[in-house]
């Protein structure tokens, strides 16, 4: 006797209303151009119904294709099915009956992805349709959800689904710098800090306000780009999408202190152009107290953030330092010694790390003596704006000797 295995019916919808800053008023409702009707546009992976002008619609398709290429490569699963999207620029151009009242209400403030289909064993048959306002990258955001539904049947826990959708919206391939828009950065810098537990709380629901989306983006951007953590992030995410159980807390259990420290550092220094890869923390570096006649030597690059100075300092102890070499902090600036150029940029500075806390920065220079304000590991860098390290050039070599008591 054979028993037919029933297909399970899946109906899912991700409502991202409120994920974008109120889009009402952004649509140019009183624009004077000729009334348009929604038209259809196609590209390799998308079918778009939109009232956008042809050039804008073609440009959007191109952006969506680029986004899809990046995310499908990241998840290692090519898109197999056309993704259908309704992209609304101006609701007045959509005839009565062309969109349901619910969809009309939704696309004035954000977007929604509605998926339905079935799963029979390994056979997934899902169709997802995107309805999105043409503001704040909502079409790209929703298209990430649609790709996940059609490819995996699910989108993962809210923090992951929404963080990765926002990431897809701003992602530039092979670029580890921050490319999020200013309102996202401003919110993250000004609002009270959210803990990792709060950001990844599994009880969260989608559509709970754009502010929460900024934190989800920040964590996903950080974990996708930081070499200390991305090796675990990808399998964890693929686990979310393919039904293998995994959680954030479990995936990073052995590295949570480091992760928390680096994530907070990222949020503290967040700015357009901040480059995670240049500022990644070196947790494997060795530090030693300077004793005898052998100095502690470090080589410090101008184009990176805090780098290990190799010196373990003791509170109250004086240390002599001598720096050799030159560097510069922009393409056109003059070569400077470690005491910096006339602008104040390019000075060698230090900081003490102790038990995941940082001291205030320590001003150093070409040579001199400093007194350790606490115990800790000494890290060094070339002073410059955190989001403008990429055009820096040069390396300086520094030697440290403990000052002898007389
Ligand atoms: Zn969403």
């Amino acid at each position: 006797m054979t028993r037919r295995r029933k297909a399970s019916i899946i109906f899912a919808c991700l409502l991202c209303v409120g994920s974008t800053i109120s889009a009402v008023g952004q649509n140019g409702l009183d624009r004077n151009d000729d009334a348009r009707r929604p038209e259809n546009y196609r590209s390799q992976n998308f079918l778009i119904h939109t009232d956008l002008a042809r050039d804008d619609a073609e440009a959007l398709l191109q952006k969506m294709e680029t986004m899809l290429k990046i995310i499908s490569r990241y998840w290692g699963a090519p898109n197999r099915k056309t993704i259908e999207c309704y992209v609304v620029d101006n609701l007045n151009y959509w005839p009565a009956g062309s969109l349901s009242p619910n969809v009309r209400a939704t696309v004035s403030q954000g977007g929604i992805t509605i998926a339905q289909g079935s799963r029979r064993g390994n056979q997934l048959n899902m169709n997802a349709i995107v309805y999105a306002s043409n503001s704040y990258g909502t079409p790209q955001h929703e298209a990430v959800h649609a790709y996940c539904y059609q490819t995996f049947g699910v989108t993962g826990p809210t923090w992951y689904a929404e963080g990765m959708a926002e990431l897809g919206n701003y992602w530039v391939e092979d670029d580890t710098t921050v490319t999020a828009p200013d309102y996202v950065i401003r919110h993250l810098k000004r609002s009270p800090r959210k803990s990792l537990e709060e950001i990844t709380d599994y009880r969260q629901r989608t559509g709970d306000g754009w502010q929460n989306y900024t934190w989800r983006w920040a964590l996903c951007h950080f974990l996708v780009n930081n070499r200390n953590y991305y090796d675990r992030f990808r399998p964890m995410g693929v686990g979310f999408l393919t039904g293998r159980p995994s959680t954030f807390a479990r995936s990073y259990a052995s590295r949570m202190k480091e992760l928390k420290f680096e994530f907070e550092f990222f949020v503290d220094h967040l700015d357009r152009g901040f480059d995670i890869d240049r500022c990644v923390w070196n947790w494997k570096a060795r530090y030693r107290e300077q004793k005898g006649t052998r100095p502690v030597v470090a080589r410090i690059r101008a184009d990176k953030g805090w780098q290990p100075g190799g010196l373990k300092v003791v509170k109250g102890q004086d240390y002599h330092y001598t720096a050799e070499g030159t560097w510069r902090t922009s393409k056109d600036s003059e070569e400077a010694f470690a005491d910096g150029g006339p602008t104040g940029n390019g000075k060698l500075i230090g900081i003490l790390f102790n038990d995941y806390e940082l001291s205030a920065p320590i001003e150093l220079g070409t040579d001199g003596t400093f007194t350790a304000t606490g115990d800790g590991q000494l890290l060094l860098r070339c002073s410059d704006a955190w989001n403008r390290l990429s055009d820096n050039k040069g390396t300086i070599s520094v030697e440290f000797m403990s000052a002898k008591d007389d």
Side-chain angles (χ1 to χ4, degrees), residues 14-17 19 111 113 141-142 145 161-163 165-166 206-207 213:
L14 264 192
L15 178 65
C16 303
V17 171
S19 64
T113 299
H141 173 108
E142 296 298 329
H145 295 324
E162 300 302 349
E166 280 301 89
T206 184
Y213 283 60

Side-chain angles (χ1 to χ4, degrees), residues 23-162:
V24 182
Q26 300 287 334
N27 293 346
L29 291 177
D30 45 12
R31 217 166 29 189
N32 286 325
D33 48 3
D34 295 334
R36 279 197 293 267
R37 302 199 119 230
E39 305 274 357
N40 302 332
Y41 301 89
R42 268 173 204 283
S43 62
Q44 194 188 340
N45 292 287
F46 291 94
L47 164 60
I48 295 189
H49 315 284
T50 183
D51 59 302
L52 281 169
R54 171 168 290 276
D55 287 357
D56 295 338
E58 306 279 359
L60 176 63
L61 275 174
Q62 206 147 55
K63 268 196 234 166
M64 310 255 286
E65 287 289 349
T66 303
M67 181 280 294
L68 190 68
K69 195 180 82 188
I70 296 173
I71 61 160
S72 57
R73 203 179 286 164
Y74 177 78
W75 276 309
N79 183 57
R80 294 181 197 286
K81 241 186 207 175
T82 297
I83 298 174
E84 187 175 2
C85 308
Y86 290 77
V87 177
V88 174
D89 189 44
N90 184 337
L91 265 176
N92 293 347
Y93 294 150
W94 293 73
S98 60
L99 298 169
S100 76
N102 279 347
V103 163
R104 266 182 190 274
T106 302
V107 295
S108 66
Q109 299 177 57
I112 187 170
T113 299
I114 299 175
Q116 41 192 326
S118 62
R119 190 195 289 278
R120 193 193 295 270
N122 285 332
Q123 286 292 89
L124 177 72
N125 185 11
M126 282 286 265
N127 282 305
I129 300 184
V130 165
Y131 300 91
S133 109
N134 181 45
S135 305
Y136 299 103
T138 308
Q140 290 99 299
H141 173 108
E142 296 298 329
V144 176
H145 295 324
Y147 159 82
C148 286
Y149 277 133
Q150 293 193 159
T151 309
F152 305 107
V154 293
T155 59
T158 297
W159 73 270
Y160 184 79
E162 300 302 349

